[in-house]
Amino acid sequence: MCKTVARSFSMVQANGIPTLSSKEAVILRLLIAHGELFGLALVAASDGALKRGTVYVTLDRMEDKGFIVSHLEARPSGEFGIAKRVYRITGLGQRVLAAHEAASLVFAGGVS
Amino acid sequence: MTTAAAAPRTPYVYYYTPLTYVLWKSPLQLLAATGLMYFYGGFRGQITALSAIEIAVQLLLATLIAHLAPLLLVFVVLPRVRDRFRNTPETKVVRVLAAIGLAGVAVVSTAHVIFTLPLPLLIGLSLTWSPFINTWPLLALERWEQRKGTKPPSLVLPPTQRMQAVFAWVFTTKTMTRVYDPVFAENLEEWLTAETRGQRNRARWVKIRGGLILLHTLGKHLVAGVIKSVVDMYKVLAG
């Protein structure tokens, strides 16, 4: 049981396949649909599936896994404020989402 | 014994009481602060006899006392314990346990601040009873009436400046840029939008909500960190 719990929180499963939580899947779908987005826009586009208080921790984890990359928004020099961080999906993220959705379809077909 | 009316009033009283209640949060700390103030003659009349240097020294002393134990833990005890287990399989376990302990302290401290701060603040703000009656807030209200309409509105500070500095001191650059800076950036942008449109109430709400979002993010980040540490510890123990 301990191994199962440990595996559920780790980034990679025992067979080497990266883990993908439901929130991470939502973020990847949104990034595919909209291209580049920043955190607040992700929350707004998710229809309540993502919360502002948790989205950046999730995005940080996804960046560690290599599903997304981020960069600071370009701002005119001298403008007041802090630059926002913009996120973009990677090739690995696209492949993992595709595999996740294919597996979901298989399991949905099997149950019905 | 000097009377309150005879004592001269200086602007120190504006800052003294709120700072006392905000900086010395717990009842125990408040008791210590009260003792210090009584020692300096604050309770026997007005506290205006205190000079700015004395106030600064008291604040420094109380802050040192309140934070001495955690500082000792982090900078004296933990390095020694860690050195004892250096280059052994237990090193990781000790680090993880220390991380869990510090996270626990952070959670308990946060809850402590949330649940004990309102009470001293209520006492301090009370117009009916306060150990500082006739000083603050009555005097502040009196002065406010005197200067109303004679002074331009003070500069409004953006909501994120101090908090961002504190977080930058606590967390690593990577964590700041990935997790907390985006939260500050969005909060600041929302606040600036509301301020430039003249929506003062919305700006205030953005400040409050920004603080709650920051707390939520902090909680989530700490919980995720503890879980990751436990998993790492399990991996070490399981070989």
Side-chain angles (χ1 to χ4, degrees):
Chain A
M1 194 192 85
C2 288
K3 277 186 180 174
T4 311
V5 172
R7 204 175 296 137
S8 66
F9 286 111
S10 66
M11 291 187 179
V12 180
Q13 292 177 12
N15 53 11
I17 300 172
T19 55
L20 186 74
S21 71
S22 59
K23 282 191 179 176
E24 290 172 353
V26 168
I27 289 172
L28 290 181
R29 281 189 206 105
L30 287 171
L31 289 178
I32 286 176
H34 296 88
E36 291 192 340
L37 282 176
F38 59 93
L40 192 56
L42 276 168
V43 174
S46 70
D47 283 334
L50 301 171
K51 303 275 185 239
R52 282 182 69 175
T54 58
V55 69
Y56 285 109
V57 180
T58 311
L59 286 167
D60 178 38
R61 191 171 63 230
M62 289 173 73
E63 214 167 341
D64 280 343
K65 289 179 180 178
F67 294 169
I68 57 172
V69 287
S70 68
H71 62 90
L72 288 177
E73 173 193 50
R75 295 172 72 89
S77 63
E79 188 174 317
F80 184 74
I82 311 167
K84 286 186 291 190
R85 188 160 282 274
V86 184
Y87 298 89
R88 183 165 49 82
I89 191 167
T90 61
L92 175 66
Q94 290 180 3
R95 288 199 299 277
V96 168
L97 181 66
H100 175 77
E101 289 183 337
S104 301
L105 278 177
V106 169
F107 278 108
V111 169
S112 63
Chain B
M1 180 180 169
T2 56
T3 59
R9 291 170 171 174
T10 71
Y12 302 138
V13 293
Y14 289 133
Y15 313 111
Y16 194 79
T17 318
L19 270 179
T20 303
Y21 284 113
V22 169
L23 288 179
W24 301 329
K25 295 173 285 292
S26 74
L28 194 63
Q29 286 167 330
L30 201 62
L31 193 67
T34 308
L36 270 174
M37 278 185 289
Y38 187 79
F39 180 72
Y40 280 102
F43 266 9
R44 286 171 285 179
Q46 293 284 3
I47 55 169
T48 50
L50 297 170
S51 67
I53 294 173
E54 281 172 330
I55 291 173
V57 168
Q58 284 181 48
L59 290 175
L60 189 66
L61 271 176
T63 310
L64 277 177
I65 293 165
H67 296 93
L68 201 58
L71 283 175
L72 280 174
L73 178 72
V74 171
F75 292 109
V76 178
V77 179
L78 284 183
R80 287 185 184 180
V81 174
R82 193 184 60 193
D83 288 344
R84 187 171 297 170
F85 292 105
R86 192 177 287 279
N87 297 326
T88 66
E90 290 85 358
T91 307
K92 183 80 177 174
V93 177
V94 170
R95 281 184 190 165
V96 169
L97 287 176
I100 292 171
L102 285 176
V105 168
V107 170
V108 171
S109 304
T110 308
H112 166 80
V113 170
I114 290 169
F115 289 112
T116 58
L117 188 58
L119 183 63
L121 269 181
L122 277 178
I123 295 171
L125 290 170
S126 168
L127 286 170
T128 55
W129 180 86
S130 165
F132 305 99
I133 201 156
N134 294 326
T135 57
W136 189 87
L138 289 183
L139 180 59
L141 288 174
E142 183 189 315
R143 292 287 171 91
W144 171 257
E145 285 296 324
Q146 284 173 7
R147 71 172 188 229
K148 205 158 64 176
T150 61
K151 199 179 171 185
S154 60
L155 180 71
V156 180
L157 279 175
T160 57
Q161 280 192 337
R162 292 186 204 91
M163 200 53 82
Q164 196 186 15
V166 172
F167 272 63
W169 183 68
V170 173
F171 292 106
T172 60
T173 310
K174 182 189 163 197
T175 305
M176 275 305 289
T177 51
R178 280 195 187 179
V179 180
Y180 293 107
D181 274 349
V183 178
F184 288 123
E186 286 173 359
N187 187 26
L188 184 60
E189 187 175 296
E190 274 192 300
W191 180 83
L192 280 173
T193 308
E195 279 288 336
T196 48
R197 288 178 183 165
Q199 300 168 329
R200 298 303 302 274
N201 285 332
R202 175 162 171 74
R204 289 190 189 105
W205 165 239
V206 165
K207 263 188 181 184
I208 296 168
R209 194 181 56 179
L212 294 175
I213 290 169
L214 193 62
L215 271 181
H216 192 179
T217 306
L218 182 67
K220 172 86 177 174
H221 183 225
L222 287 177
V223 169
V226 168
I227 290 173
K228 191 171 179 302
S229 302
V230 170
V231 171
D232 288 347
M233 188 169 68
Y234 170 76
K235 283 178 181 171
V236 169
L237 291 174

